[in-house]
Amino acid sequence: MRQCRLFARTLTEIWKTPTVRPSSRCLQTSTFLPRFFHHSPNFLAPPPQPQTDLEKRIAAIPISRFRNFCIVAHVDHGKSTLSDRLLELTGTIPPGGAKAQILDKLDVERERGITVKAQTCTMICAHRGDDYLLHLVDTPGHVDFRAEVSRSYASCGGALLLVDASQGVQAQTVANFYLAFAQGLRLVPVVNKVDLPSADPERALEQMHSTFELDPKKAVLVSAKTGLNVASILPAVIEQVPAPEGDSGRPLRLLLVDSWYSNYKGVILLVRIFDGEVRAGDQVVSLVTGLKYTVGEVGIMYPDQTPQSSLRAGQVGYLIFNPGMKRIQDAKVGDTYTTVGSERNVELLPGFEEPKSMVFVAAFPVDQSDYQHLEDSINQVMLNDRSVTVQKESSEALGAGWRLGFLGTLHCSVFEDRLRQEHGASIIITPPSVPFKVKYRDGKEEVIENPNLFPDTDVQHTRVAELQEPYVTATITLPEEYLGPVIVLCEANRGEQKELSFFTSTQVILKYDLPLAQLVDDFFGKLKGATKGYASLDYEDAGWRRSNIVKLQLLVNKEPVDAIARVVHNSQVERMGRAWASKFKEHVDRQMFEIVIQAAAGRRIVARETIKPFRKDVLQKLHASDVSRRRKLLEKQKEGRKKLRAVGNVVIDHKAFQGFLAK
């Protein structure tokens, strides 16, 4: 009570005479008193820190000397290696570091040698006596991760279009060019790997000129591995890529480009500042969700998270809220943020189109006791991969599980590898399937992702008007000598040829409309085999088309196995049915009764395999007996087999499903 009176008296004195400071005795009595007189927006702001040399250099650079650019290319053309050389050249990382591809931060990226997630880094480059602030984005090269590339373009004003001197222009190079061209980016052509014995830089330059109309004189010939001529890239970027537009004096307007999750800090946002300035302690609001946050930390990737006092117009950096954003779903990529109170003065920036899942698989734990651990593992991986969709699912054969949606087969494979490597998960993955559309006679339409929900034969005859499957437009680049086998492959996969053009005397661009179901059925592997690895593939959505599709499922003793069902075209039913039945027979154990394995398409049985039962030799004790005695014993055994089969249940072990579903 005495402390409360003293505290109230002190407050009254300060209220009456605001210029008088509390005495040392008051400070000793109530050490928390000064906190009540801070301005509320800065309540959670950290105390001001002295500016570092890096901050002073950045603060002295005007927006006219900012350059934001990315590196785009086909897969395995050397983007990440070139990024390392540029970081070493600008002093961002020490030269000759033991860690190659420093921007590839996932284990699966290093193991496979590919980039899965776009990574960013800020650099400072001296050019003609002036410092330039460069922001680099290393993008994925595979078509499955095109959404990462398109998001990266929003934060950039230009791009390095990288082409392998030994392979030339390939399918994803063409796709990346048109994406960048549509965004209005300034392209700087770069030919990499000129040190290889098989390199032909003249052919690559000719292809870039004839295909993209890029000036060969502006191209830079480099070897990212050896560092040959890499120093010429940054001056070309500074001279050819325009500076970003923006005004630090306007109200804050920033675009959310990407986000990832930290167990200690919550959701971390990667943002591009278009107008204004943001610093720790500011209160910002999302124009999409309306949620308000207090900024706890701002900084740049240099190459790791490096805190800064502020971010201003033209910069790309990260934000961490305090208290942190806990749900990754609240960080909507493409969202616009501004300071609280400026909502009416700021226009919403054009966002991004959400990527649609094109491939679906069912995932089940090998042991149902691991269900909770696997669910936590899937949620952890999804925190850094927002393009995965998940729904709970159950199977009589495999138990409880999930139906996962991915952008492509490589995306699915990378997700599975991350579950196994980062979380030690034991998981059963079904073969990839695609969605299909059902049009009913009453005008209703339904997109179904689970093959087990395919309409039965009776429903098709009475209610269904039309069945449709998704198609894609595939762009294939290949040497001219492999044109015949590739056309045969596409025709065998129900493809429709749309275009055939020669962009050089030896290189061909082939465009086909293909069913997505054929594409996910290892089409890329077959294409590589037909062309000895020289072909490249890119595809984009081509809508829905009417198709003669049917549900193919496996029956064991006339009981359907729900874990093994797939919607296929009618022309593939018999071939796939025979393959399923013979393969499943190899993994099912013999029983004391006969097991019949059948592949059924609707009501039609297209394949059958029989597993003979264990049989006791009941004639072993007979030597010279009459034939009627032998027949009597065999008939008695046969009747016993019928009774056993009537009451016996086939127990299929999980290992049988693992063996059958293994690639």
Side-chain angles (χ1 to χ4, degrees), residues 552-554 568 572-584 597-601 605-609 660:
L552 180 67
Q553 59 182 345
L554 213 58
V568 299
Q572 300 175 285
V573 164
E574 293 187 5
R575 176 185 61 83
M576 192 173 291
R578 286 195 295 269
W580 277 15
S582 60
K583 185 176 181 180
F584 197 67
I597 301 172
Q598 297 169 308
I605 304 298
V606 297
R608 169 177 169 145
E609 293 286 346
F660 178 80

Side-chain angles (χ1 to χ4, degrees), residues 11-119:
L11 276 179
T12 306
E13 291 175 359
I14 293 177
W15 178 261
K16 291 179 179 179
T17 57
T19 57
V20 179
R21 294 290 182 266
S23 65
S24 59
R25 182 180 178 184
C26 293
L27 290 174
Q28 293 172 1
T29 307
S30 179
T31 57
F32 58 88
L33 183 59
R35 294 182 61 189
F36 288 93
F37 299 97
H38 282 298
H39 193 261
S40 58
N42 295 325
F43 180 74
L44 294 169
Q49 299 290 335
Q51 279 194 331
T52 62
D53 294 338
L54 176 64
E55 286 188 79
K56 292 176 182 178
R57 287 186 69 184
I58 294 176
I61 302 175
I63 190 173
S64 60
R65 297 208 299 267
F66 287 4
R67 299 291 186 271
N68 300 333
F69 69 101
C70 57
I71 305 177
V72 293
H74 190 79
V75 64
D76 199 31
H77 277 203
K79 295 181 296 298
S80 298
T81 306
L82 181 60
S83 299
D84 284 356
R85 299 291 87 76
L86 295 178
L87 295 179
E88 292 174 359
L89 197 65
T90 56
T92 309
I93 61 174
K99 186 177 180 182
Q101 283 86 36
I102 193 169
L103 294 183
D104 288 345
K105 299 179 179 178
L106 298 176
D107 292 337
V108 68
E109 290 179 317
R110 297 183 171 280
E111 179 182 324
R112 290 173 175 253
I114 60 174
T115 300
V116 171
K117 190 169 180 62
Q119 301 292 346

Side-chain angles (χ1 to χ4, degrees), residues 504-522:
T504 67
S505 58
T506 59
Q507 289 291 111
V508 183
I509 294 182
L510 191 62
K511 288 192 176 181
Y512 261 87
D513 280 354
L514 290 168
L516 181 60
Q518 301 296 130
L519 193 73
V520 303
D521 189 20
D522 197 27

Side-chain angles (χ1 to χ4, degrees), residues 123-200:
M123 307 177 291
I124 298 179
C125 175
H127 179 64
R128 295 179 180 175
D130 293 323
D131 281 345
Y132 284 79
L133 188 68
L134 307 180
H135 178 73
L136 166 69
V137 183
D138 181 22
T139 62
H142 197 275
V143 60
D144 283 8
F145 308 105
R146 182 185 294 170
E148 293 279 332
V149 181
S150 62
R151 286 204 302 265
S152 303
Y153 288 162
S155 63
C156 299
L160 299 179
L161 188 65
L162 197 65
V163 174
D164 190 327
S166 61
Q167 299 183 22
V169 172
Q170 296 195 301
Q172 196 60 28
T173 315
V174 179
N176 285 332
F177 169 80
Y178 286 115
L179 271 177
F181 188 77
Q183 294 277 355
L185 300 188
R186 190 72 58 84
L187 293 172
V188 179
V190 179
V191 179
N192 191 23
K193 303 185 181 181
V194 296
D195 60 319
L196 293 179
S198 59
D200 190 355

Side-chain angles (χ1 to χ4, degrees), residues 8 146 164 172 184 267 312 329 379 449 491 531:
R146 182 185 294 170
D164 190 327
Q172 196 60 28
V267 181
R312 51 196 170 101
Q329 293 81 5
N379 291 333
E449 301 166 357
E491 296 291 338
T531 61

Side-chain angles (χ1 to χ4, degrees), residues 354-371:
E354 285 293 327
K356 297 179 182 178
S357 298
M358 303 181 71
V359 174
F360 294 86
V361 300
F364 302 92
V366 173
D367 187 351
Q368 280 295 311
S369 62
D370 295 334
Y371 178 87

Side-chain angles (χ1 to χ4, degrees), residues 229-242:
N229 205 30
V230 174
S232 302
I233 292 180
L234 294 181
V237 169
I238 292 172
E239 293 170 4
Q240 298 183 39
V241 175

